[in-house]
Amino acid sequence: MLWIAGVCALCMLVCLPLFMHYKHHALRYKLAAAFKTCGTLCAAVLALTAALRLDPRCWICFAALMLHAVADYILEFNLWGGAGFFLAGHICYIAFFTSLFPPTSLHLICAVCLLAIMVYMFFFRWRKQIGKHIPLFAVYGAALCLMCACAIGCFSGHTLQGQLIAVGGALFFLSDTMIFCRTLFSTGPRIDWAIMITYYAAQLLFGISCLIG
Protein backbone atom coordinates (compact mmCIF):
# COMPACT_ATOMS: atom_id res chain seq x y z
CA MET A 1 0.00 0.00 0.00
CA LEU A 2 1.17 3.51 -0.80
CA TRP A 3 0.40 4.82 2.67
CA ILE A 4 2.67 2.20 4.26
CA ALA A 5 5.49 3.26 1.94
CA GLY A 6 4.76 6.86 2.88
CA VAL A 7 5.01 6.10 6.59
CA CYS A 8 8.32 4.30 6.04
CA ALA A 9 9.64 7.20 3.96
CA LEU A 10 8.62 9.68 6.66
CA CYS A 11 10.57 7.67 9.22
CA MET A 12 13.71 7.06 7.18
CA LEU A 13 13.88 10.17 4.99
CA VAL A 14 12.57 12.84 7.36
CA CYS A 15 12.76 11.81 11.02
CA LEU A 16 16.14 10.09 10.78
CA PRO A 17 18.03 12.86 8.93
CA LEU A 18 16.53 15.56 11.15
CA PHE A 19 17.45 13.61 14.28
CA MET A 20 21.03 13.27 13.08
CA HIS A 21 21.20 16.92 12.02
CA TYR A 22 19.96 18.35 15.29
CA LYS A 23 22.07 15.96 17.37
CA HIS A 24 25.41 16.23 15.56
CA HIS A 25 25.31 19.60 13.80
CA ALA A 26 22.77 22.01 15.31
CA LEU A 27 23.34 20.55 18.81
CA ARG A 28 19.70 21.00 19.78
CA TYR A 29 19.37 17.80 21.74
CA LYS A 30 15.74 18.03 22.83
CA LEU A 31 14.59 18.65 19.29
CA ALA A 32 16.81 15.82 18.09
CA ALA A 33 15.26 13.47 20.64
CA ALA A 34 11.79 14.53 19.54
CA PHE A 35 12.50 13.60 15.91
CA LYS A 36 14.05 10.34 17.05
CA THR A 37 10.84 9.51 18.90
CA CYS A 38 8.72 10.46 15.90
CA GLY A 39 10.55 7.87 13.83
CA THR A 40 9.44 5.09 16.15
CA LEU A 41 5.92 6.54 16.27
CA CYS A 42 5.74 5.99 12.50
CA ALA A 43 6.05 2.26 13.15
CA ALA A 44 3.53 2.55 15.97
CA VAL A 45 0.97 3.98 13.53
CA LEU A 46 1.23 0.80 11.48
CA ALA A 47 0.64 -1.41 14.51
CA LEU A 48 -2.22 0.81 15.71
CA THR A 49 -3.98 0.55 12.35
CA ALA A 50 -3.69 -3.23 12.45
CA ALA A 51 -4.93 -3.38 16.05
CA LEU A 52 -8.01 -1.31 15.21
CA ARG A 53 -8.90 -3.03 11.94
CA LEU A 54 -7.33 -6.47 11.75
CA ASP A 55 -6.05 -8.25 14.85
CA PRO A 56 -6.50 -7.24 18.52
CA ARG A 57 -3.21 -8.98 19.34
CA CYS A 58 -1.48 -6.10 17.60
CA TRP A 59 -2.30 -3.91 20.59
CA ILE A 60 0.62 -5.67 22.31
CA CYS A 61 2.94 -4.66 19.45
CA PHE A 62 1.58 -1.13 19.63
CA ALA A 63 2.29 -1.03 23.37
CA ALA A 64 5.86 -2.21 22.73
CA LEU A 65 6.41 0.49 20.13
CA MET A 66 5.00 3.20 22.39
CA LEU A 67 7.29 2.12 25.22
CA HIS A 68 10.22 2.18 22.82
CA ALA A 69 9.19 5.62 21.59
CA VAL A 70 9.34 6.91 25.16
CA ALA A 71 12.68 5.16 25.62
CA ASP A 72 14.05 6.81 22.48
CA TYR A 73 13.57 10.24 24.01
CA ILE A 74 14.78 9.39 27.50
CA LEU A 75 17.81 7.50 26.23
CA GLU A 76 19.30 10.70 24.82
CA PHE A 77 19.54 12.08 28.35
CA ASN A 78 19.52 9.09 30.72
CA LEU A 79 20.99 5.73 29.63
CA TRP A 80 19.48 3.53 32.31
CA GLY A 81 16.11 5.27 32.35
CA GLY A 82 15.80 4.69 28.63
CA ALA A 83 16.98 1.10 29.02
CA GLY A 84 14.18 0.50 31.54
CA PHE A 85 11.51 1.52 29.03
CA PHE A 86 13.21 -0.55 26.33
CA LEU A 87 13.16 -3.52 28.68
CA ALA A 88 9.41 -3.12 29.20
CA GLY A 89 8.94 -2.87 25.44
CA HIS A 90 10.97 -6.03 24.91
CA ILE A 91 8.67 -7.92 27.29
CA CYS A 92 5.66 -6.78 25.26
CA TYR A 93 7.37 -7.88 22.06
CA ILE A 94 8.05 -11.32 23.54
CA ALA A 95 4.37 -11.65 24.40
CA PHE A 96 3.34 -10.48 20.92
CA PHE A 97 5.71 -12.73 18.95
CA THR A 98 4.92 -15.84 20.97
CA SER A 99 1.18 -15.20 20.62
CA LEU A 100 1.59 -15.26 16.83
CA PHE A 101 4.13 -18.08 16.62
CA PRO A 102 4.36 -20.38 19.67
CA PRO A 103 7.94 -21.28 20.67
CA THR A 104 9.68 -24.05 18.73
CA SER A 105 13.12 -25.61 18.72
CA LEU A 106 14.24 -22.77 16.43
CA HIS A 107 13.37 -20.25 19.14
CA LEU A 108 15.50 -22.21 21.62
CA ILE A 109 18.45 -22.46 19.23
CA CYS A 110 18.29 -18.73 18.50
CA ALA A 111 18.12 -17.90 22.21
CA VAL A 112 21.15 -20.05 23.01
CA CYS A 113 23.19 -18.58 20.16
CA LEU A 114 22.35 -14.95 20.97
CA LEU A 115 22.96 -15.45 24.69
CA ALA A 116 26.32 -17.04 23.89
CA ILE A 117 27.27 -13.95 21.87
CA MET A 118 26.28 -11.67 24.76
CA VAL A 119 28.16 -13.74 27.33
CA TYR A 120 31.28 -13.62 25.18
CA MET A 121 31.06 -9.85 24.73
CA PHE A 122 30.09 -8.89 28.29
CA PHE A 123 32.15 -11.34 30.34
CA PHE A 124 35.19 -11.76 28.13
CA ARG A 125 35.76 -9.25 25.34
CA TRP A 126 34.30 -6.09 26.96
CA ARG A 127 34.45 -6.99 30.65
CA LYS A 128 37.10 -4.40 31.50
CA GLN A 129 35.17 -1.56 29.85
CA ILE A 130 31.84 -2.53 31.44
CA GLY A 131 33.36 -2.83 34.92
CA LYS A 132 30.86 -2.64 37.78
CA HIS A 133 27.93 -2.28 35.38
CA ILE A 134 28.10 -5.92 34.28
CA PRO A 135 24.89 -6.91 36.18
CA LEU A 136 22.88 -4.16 34.45
CA PHE A 137 24.32 -5.01 31.04
CA ALA A 138 23.63 -8.69 31.68
CA VAL A 139 19.95 -8.17 32.60
CA TYR A 140 19.25 -5.96 29.60
CA GLY A 141 21.34 -8.17 27.31
CA ALA A 142 19.43 -11.28 28.39
CA ALA A 143 16.07 -9.59 27.73
CA LEU A 144 17.32 -8.39 24.34
CA CYS A 145 18.46 -11.89 23.40
CA LEU A 146 15.15 -13.46 24.41
CA MET A 147 13.15 -10.85 22.50
CA CYS A 148 15.25 -11.18 19.36
CA ALA A 149 15.20 -14.99 19.62
CA CYS A 150 11.39 -14.92 19.81
CA ALA A 151 11.39 -12.67 16.75
CA ILE A 152 13.88 -14.68 14.68
CA GLY A 153 12.11 -17.87 15.70
CA CYS A 154 8.99 -16.63 13.92
CA PHE A 155 10.72 -17.75 10.72
CA SER A 156 9.54 -21.24 11.65
CA GLY A 157 5.99 -20.20 10.71
CA HIS A 158 6.97 -20.11 7.01
CA THR A 159 4.79 -17.06 6.41
CA LEU A 160 5.59 -13.58 5.13
CA GLN A 161 4.57 -12.16 8.50
CA GLY A 162 6.99 -14.47 10.29
CA GLN A 163 9.79 -13.66 7.88
CA LEU A 164 9.34 -9.91 8.37
CA ILE A 165 9.44 -10.33 12.14
CA ALA A 166 12.51 -12.58 11.90
CA VAL A 167 14.45 -10.05 9.82
CA GLY A 168 13.34 -7.30 12.19
CA GLY A 169 14.60 -9.29 15.16
CA ALA A 170 18.01 -9.80 13.57
CA LEU A 171 18.29 -6.09 12.75
CA PHE A 172 17.25 -5.12 16.28
CA PHE A 173 19.95 -7.33 17.76
CA LEU A 174 22.53 -5.81 15.43
CA SER A 175 21.40 -2.28 16.31
CA ASP A 176 21.59 -2.83 20.06
CA THR A 177 24.97 -4.55 19.78
CA MET A 178 26.29 -1.44 18.08
CA ILE A 179 24.76 0.67 20.87
CA PHE A 180 26.67 -1.39 23.45
CA CYS A 181 29.84 -0.78 21.45
CA ARG A 182 29.16 2.96 21.20
CA THR A 183 28.50 3.15 24.95
CA LEU A 184 31.82 1.56 25.81
CA PHE A 185 34.11 2.94 23.12
CA SER A 186 34.66 6.18 21.25
CA THR A 187 32.80 6.15 17.93
CA GLY A 188 31.98 8.63 15.20
CA PRO A 189 28.65 9.71 13.69
CA ARG A 190 28.77 6.88 11.14
CA ILE A 191 27.98 4.35 13.84
CA ASP A 192 24.97 6.47 14.84
CA TRP A 193 23.67 6.29 11.29
CA ALA A 194 24.15 2.51 11.24
CA ILE A 195 22.43 2.14 14.62
CA MET A 196 19.41 4.20 13.66
CA ILE A 197 18.97 2.72 10.17
CA THR A 198 18.94 -0.84 11.51
CA TYR A 199 16.78 0.17 14.50
CA TYR A 200 14.12 1.96 12.47
CA ALA A 201 14.14 -0.81 9.86
CA ALA A 202 13.46 -3.36 12.62
CA GLN A 203 10.62 -1.34 14.14
CA LEU A 204 9.04 -0.69 10.74
CA LEU A 205 9.21 -4.39 9.88
CA PHE A 206 7.47 -5.23 13.16
CA GLY A 207 4.79 -2.66 12.39
CA ILE A 208 4.32 -3.85 8.79
CA SER A 209 4.10 -7.47 9.98
CA CYS A 210 0.96 -6.53 11.91
CA LEU A 211 -0.71 -5.54 8.64
CA ILE A 212 0.40 -8.72 6.84
CA GLY A 213 -1.04 -11.31 9.22
Side-chain angles (χ1 to χ4, degrees):
M1 298 182 185
L2 288 177
W3 77 271
I4 297 177
V7 170
C8 294
L10 177 63
C11 174
M12 289 295 203
L13 302 180
V14 178
C15 296
L16 174 55
L18 287 174
F19 162 61
M20 297 299 291
H21 170 74
Y22 284 113
K23 179 176 181 178
H24 293 290
H25 300 288
L27 304 182
R28 298 180 62 181
Y29 299 113
K30 291 184 178 179
L31 188 56
F35 278 111
K36 182 184 179 185
T37 297
C38 286
T40 304
L41 291 177
C42 290
V45 168
L46 302 175
L48 176 61
T49 302
L52 291 171
R53 297 186 177 183
L54 300 174
D55 189 344
R57 291 177 296 181
C58 294
W59 283 112
I60 308 174
C61 183
F62 175 70
L65 284 162
M66 292 303 295
L67 286 166
H68 283 179
V70 174
D72 283 335
Y73 190 91
I74 296 176
L75 195 63
E76 291 301 306
F77 309 101
N78 186 305
L79 174 63
W80 297 115
F85 276 93
F86 266 118
L87 182 62
H90 292 350
I91 293 172
C92 289
Y93 267 145
I94 291 171
F96 175 62
F97 300 148
T98 54
S99 71
L100 295 177
F101 301 92
T104 64
S105 58
L106 179 58
H107 289 77
L108 178 60
I109 293 171
C110 291
V112 171
C113 291
L114 295 180
L115 285 169
I117 292 172
M118 282 295 173
V119 168
Y120 171 72
M121 290 192 303
F122 290 171
F123 293 97
F124 294 95
R125 189 175 180 86
W126 297 344
R127 182 172 183 174
K128 181 178 179 180
Q129 288 80 9
I130 295 174
K132 64 180 181 181
H133 296 300
I134 280 185
L136 295 173
F137 273 74
V139 170
Y140 182 83
L144 172 68
C145 290
L146 290 176
M147 186 276 283
C148 293
C150 288
I152 298 172
C154 292
F155 191 82
S156 63
H158 303 292
T159 65
L160 177 58
Q161 183 183 39
Q163 292 166 1
L164 291 175
I165 293 173
V167 174
L171 289 173
F172 206 112
F173 184 80
L174 177 60
S175 177
D176 268 20
T177 300
M178 288 189 287
I179 288 177
F180 288 136
C181 183
R182 183 188 64 183
T183 302
L184 300 173
F185 305 97
S186 298
T187 59
R190 289 185 179 180
I191 194 71
D192 280 354
W193 278 99
I195 287 170
M196 294 308 301
I197 288 172
T198 51
Y199 170 70
Y200 279 150
Q203 299 286 36
L204 289 169
L205 286 171
F206 293 154
I208 293 171
S209 73
C210 293
L211 297 166
I212 300 299

